[in-house]
Amino acid sequence: MSNFTNRVAAVTGGAQGIGAATALKLAAGGATVVVLDLNEDRAKDTAQRISDHPDVLAAGGKAVAACCDVTDEEAVDRVFDDIHREFGRLDILVNNAGITRDNMFFKMERPDWDSVLTTNLTSAYLCSRAAQRYMVPAKYGKIVSLSSRSALGNRGQANYAAAKAGIQGLTATLAIELGPFNITVNAVAPGYIATSMTAATAERVGASPAEHQQAVAERTPLGRVGQPEEVAAAVAFFAGDDSSYISGQTLYINGGAR
Ligand code: NDP
């Protein structure tokens, strides 16, 4: 496994779900991880839990919390500036913060289109732009963004699918533009992962999380849904030096489903 000793990472939406699992994975490799999230208390709790984890203590890693709305341009620039001032470097950015506002297209109102595009895609533009200011002079960087299997099309998710397909285009293009500065840029595109996001989807369609997961498991070759740690493992691969010649790629993490 890649060694993240002395690496500084920022994980957006890191207070829970896939982001929290990713922050833990990087810190357990020795990284200092900044857990960026809207909810300051939850970000602090998560950062503390990560810092106290035995694997993190053993590796010399740690996590700290920072409150930031990743759709707010000024707040994003400020928080990345603060990270660089405090730790002197920024090696890894994980663009993970995301939301869903599902609806059939003919009923999809403009605010739900805008908020999903802004939170899932514009945030990645803002955070990547802020991060590369420190990565380019250092001639080192790893940017990993969360796309989704929904990028291929998913009923009721025109806004989310468009944003997650946008992540793939952004990733491919940043790989071209930032490659000369030894910065790799990749994306992961998970299918159904058991988190608060998919629990909320279950609730919306009138099912319990367990019933909803069972229905998805039945059409997935591996016969189950994914766990946040299984996405975190792939993000950590792209965030580490084991993937040093891989850039511009999107990896689907979907239990074998096409
Ligand atoms: P969760 O909803 O569990 O976690 C997302 C986190 O992002 C929350 O802590 C949320 O805070 C935070 N967040 C939302 N908006 C902002 C914002 N503007 N600024 C800062 N933080 C914000 O989601 P998952 O862990 O399930 O998903 C993580 C990523 O993976 C998302 O990009 C998602 O689209 C993607 N993904 C998830 C899949 C799944 O099946 N779960 C499948 C494919 C992709 P708060 O709760 O306070 O809003």
Side-chain angles (χ1 to χ4, degrees):
M1 191 190 91
S2 281
N3 185 339
F4 295 111
T5 304
N6 296 327
R7 297 288 182 214
V8 174
V11 180
T12 72
Q16 65 179 39
I18 294 169
T22 299
L24 172 59
K25 181 83 179 169
L26 298 177
T32 295
V33 183
V34 183
V35 172
L36 287 176
D37 211 288
L38 273 180
N39 184 321
E40 188 166 16
D41 288 341
R42 208 166 48 199
K44 280 186 178 158
D45 287 350
T46 301
Q48 192 61 53
R49 185 172 51 79
I50 291 172
S51 292
D52 292 341
H53 193 286
D55 294 349
V56 175
L57 290 169
K62 68 173 177 177
V64 297
C67 182
C68 177
D69 177 350
V70 292
T71 69
D72 178 337
E73 183 166 357
E74 276 180 28
V76 166
D77 285 345
R78 199 177 323 118
V79 84
F80 280 87
D81 205 28
D82 289 347
I83 293 170
H84 191 257
R85 198 166 330 104
E86 182 164 353
F87 300 110
R89 57 193 298 150
L90 177 66
D91 304 289
I92 299 162
L93 166 66
V94 182
N95 287 311
N96 168 81
I99 58 167
T100 53
R101 297 287 182 269
D102 299 351
N103 217 333
M104 293 302 287
F105 183 61
F106 75 98
K107 290 192 283 189
M108 189 172 283
E109 300 285 353
R110 179 71 189 263
D112 286 345
W113 174 268
D114 285 344
S115 61
V116 167
L117 267 290
T118 307
T119 307
N120 291 278
L121 181 57
T122 307
S123 67
Y125 153 67
L126 293 174
C127 293
S128 302
R129 188 183 63 170
Q132 59 83 39
R133 290 189 188 120
Y134 307 108
M135 292 174 171
V136 166
K139 288 262 168 61
Y140 186 91
K142 304 277 178 188
I143 299 175
V144 190
S145 302
L146 269 290
S147 176
S148 167
R149 193 232 64 96
S150 296
L152 301 173
N154 201 24
R155 195 176 172 82
Q157 288 198 316
N159 48 2
Y160 187 75
K164 294 304 192 182
I167 286 286
Q168 299 191 16
L170 178 69
T171 296
T173 303
L174 294 191
I176 293 167
E177 295 192 16
L178 298 178
F181 304 100
N182 192 33
I183 299 168
T184 67
V185 189
N186 291 289
V188 294
Y192 192 112
I193 309 299
T195 67
S196 302
M197 181 180 274
T198 41
T201 306
E203 200 176 308
R204 212 166 32 245
V205 299
S208 72
E211 289 164 344
H212 203 235
Q213 289 174 20
Q214 184 56 34
V216 174
E218 281 164 13
R219 53 174 195 266
T220 303
L222 282 176
R224 61 179 179 84
V225 300
Q227 297 301 322
E229 295 72 23
E230 295 176 297
V231 179
V235 174
F237 171 65
F238 287 129
D241 291 330
D242 288 346
S243 60
S244 48
Y245 201 57
I246 303 173
S247 196
Q249 302 302 308
T250 296
L251 177 69
Y252 282 81
I253 304 172
N254 202 15
R258 306 299 297 172

